[in-house]
Amino acid sequence: MQKTAPSSMKRIARITALAFAALTTVGAQAQAQAGAPLKVGFMLPYTGTYASLGNMIESGFKLYVQEHGGKLAGREIQYFKVDDESEPSKATDNVNKLIKRDNVDVLVGTVHSGVALAMAKAAKDNNTLLIIPNAGADAITGAMCGPNIVRSSFSNWQPAFAMGKVAAEKGAKKAITITWNYAAGNESAKGFTEAFEKGGGKVVKDLTLPFPGVEFQALLTEIAAQKPDAVYAFFAGGGAVKFVKDYVAAGLNKTIPLYGPGFLTDGTLEAQGAAAQGMLTTLHYADNLDTPRNNAFRKSFALTYKANADVYAVQGYDAAQILAAGLNAVKGDLTQRDALTAAMRKTPVDSPRGKFTLSAAGNPVQDIYLREVKGINNEYRAIAVKALADPARGCKL
Ligand code: PHB
């Protein structure tokens, strides 16, 4: 028998031990994962003008999990929460609490586009899974797109583009846009302008005020002086309630129709009351979509939370559905990241809004509805644009 020198025998033994340890670590990780809860980190606004939006998203997400026995792909869910206050300057610190301190498996957030841009950067830098249940920042599924990032909501361009088309079809020639001066507002105004001008109209002025300000008077006076055929406004949450009421109090609605993406009247109607009646908006959801899926969802939501669902609740619910589709494909094993993110994109989502799939960039390809406010509902009127896909400008995947 050939003799092996003691030093090389030791080396072989060490390598064998290392290889064994590595294998058992991977095995143990997968096994520990299978038994351990999946850590979901909500980064959402729980205070400020978007607080109700954050709460509805969380409620929608948890409703789906609850309907599935508190588990996704056989794994219990453990929740972590950070209030992002819709404050971009705190966003990186806040998201790192979830990524580095809490070590979450998946981030779910947020509402505000400026905060979401910082989240997307952190998710990319740390290779963390991110599901965006609202914020429409075009770049997130455009130039910043990545395999680990998907959105259950919309891009800012989508509902805005649809409203521009509708306003032009209604014969408006001269429009003014008004919004908060940050990514979502500016991109929304831009998407509206693109379709409105393609349809023969002209946007003569873009009015803005800082987020989340509600001092609208000077801007409303300017609109009255300019006498456009239509106004397109992006506001949401508490700010949208105040804007619609102020617009009506100034008497502008009598001569100048107020249009917007559906955020202007979604989750706000009880507070807007008479002021919002008859308003037309465009969005990927309408309260009274008479489908078994939407009816069941609304009933389940109302029973659980004693409140009516809105678009934000739908987006939260669908964020959980998208995560479930990914997890089911890998039996809850997050180490199979490529298979998981591929399944998230491939699996059609049976949403209360109607079935949709994600684009390669990770954004819903979806019908945008024209809705009209009746009482406390945004009622379906027509499909404004069928299966609208965000152009995903600059996305290379
Ligand atoms: C956004 O900042 O992207 C945003 C916020 C609230 C909405 C919609 C979009 O309702």
Side-chain angles (χ1 to χ4, degrees):
M1 196 166 85
Q2 205 188 338
K3 259 190 152 185
T4 313
S7 67
S8 44
M9 271 177 69
K10 265 194 206 147
R11 204 176 319 126
I12 290 167
R14 212 169 37 232
I15 292 168
T16 312
L18 278 176
F20 183 73
L23 274 175
T24 45
T25 309
V26 172
Q29 261 174 7
Q31 219 161 36
Q33 250 195 21
L38 184 90
K39 294 178 166 189
V40 171
F42 288 124
M43 179 152 148
L44 291 166
Y46 294 105
T47 52
T49 202
Y50 288 160
S52 69
L53 288 62
N55 283 308
M56 288 304 255
I57 289 167
E58 181 181 331
S59 296
F61 190 101
K62 287 183 164 170
L63 181 64
Y64 183 84
V65 174
Q66 179 195 300
E67 287 174 356
H68 292 79
K71 292 184 179 179
L72 296 181
R75 291 182 67 177
E76 299 276 354
I77 307 296
Q78 186 180 7
Y79 295 108
F80 295 81
K81 272 168 81 154
V82 167
D83 177 8
D84 68 37
E85 305 168 46
S86 296
E87 180 48 72
S89 68
K90 299 183 185 170
T92 304
D93 282 349
N94 278 331
V95 74
N96 278 329
K97 288 181 195 159
L98 293 168
I99 297 175
K100 298 192 169 140
R101 181 193 66 192
D102 301 330
N103 219 349
V104 300
D105 295 306
V106 53
L107 287 167
V108 176
T110 186
V111 168
H112 184 287
S113 275
V115 177
L117 285 162
M119 288 183 80
K121 173 153 190 339
K124 288 181 93 166
D125 290 350
N126 294 282
N127 195 29
T128 308
L129 208 54
L130 169 62
I131 305 179
I132 299 166
N134 185 72
D138 292 339
I140 291 176
T141 52
M144 284 183 79
C145 73
N148 289 331
I149 302 176
V150 297
R151 184 145 58 188
S152 64
S153 51
F154 57 88
S155 72
N156 288 323
W157 179 90
Q158 283 176 308
F161 183 86
M163 194 72 241
K165 177 174 172 277
V166 170
E169 282 167 4
K170 289 200 172 294
K173 291 283 172 243
K174 173 176 153 182
I176 288 182
T177 70
I178 177 166
T179 186
W180 283 311
N181 186 11
Y182 82 106
N186 296 331
E187 289 173 358
S188 190
K190 214 169 141 202
F192 172 84
T193 303
E194 186 183 326
F196 185 62
E197 297 198 338
K198 216 181 194 175
K202 178 89 193 127
V203 170
V204 295
K205 200 147 222 161
D206 293 309
L207 300 173
T208 62
L209 73 167
F211 175 87
V214 290
E215 300 308 320
F216 301 121
Q217 278 320 317
L219 302 174
L220 293 175
T221 304
E222 172 137 24
I223 290 170
Q226 292 270 346
K227 298 189 176 55
D229 303 321
V231 167
Y232 175 81
F234 170 94
F235 295 104
V241 171
K242 172 102 174 14
F243 180 77
V244 169
K245 284 183 152 180
D246 284 5
Y247 194 86
V248 170
L252 290 174
N253 64 316
K254 291 193 197 114
T255 48
I256 312 169
L258 174 58
Y259 298 134
F263 316 117
L264 201 54
T265 57
D266 227 271
T268 55
L269 291 176
E270 276 167 38
Q272 283 164 338
Q277 297 307 306
M279 272 182 64
L280 296 176
T281 61
T282 46
L283 203 62
H284 46 287
Y285 185 61
D287 295 313
N288 69 330
L289 291 175
D290 192 14
T291 60
R293 187 74 180 101
N294 188 43
N295 291 335
F297 164 75
R298 293 190 73 87
K299 195 168 158 198
S300 171
F301 192 92
L303 276 174
T304 307
Y305 300 111
K306 315 283 173 261
N308 291 320
D310 61 15
V311 71
Y312 308 106
V314 172
Q315 292 167 176
Y317 190 79
D318 290 344
Q321 296 211 65
I322 292 169
L323 177 60
L327 288 170
N328 286 332
V330 297
K331 301 196 169 50
D333 178 7
L334 278 173
T335 60
Q336 297 180 48
R337 180 67 72 84
D338 292 349
L340 186 147
T341 56
M344 281 175 151
R345 282 174 169 74
K346 256 202 318 265
T347 314
V349 184
D350 189 11
S351 169
R353 77 187 82 170
K355 278 206 175 73
F356 72 86
T357 43
L358 296 179
S359 64
N363 194 64
V365 178
Q366 55 194 344
D367 295 347
I368 306 291
Y369 307 119
L370 177 64
R371 309 113 44 89
E372 181 177 352
V373 175
K374 278 270 172 303
I376 56 160
N377 284 323
N378 285 287
E379 290 192 356
Y380 170 88
R381 286 290 169 267
I383 293 179
V385 186
K386 181 114 195 100
L388 185 61
D390 179 85
R393 293 172 183 132
C395 172
K396 292 182 201 79
L397 266 185

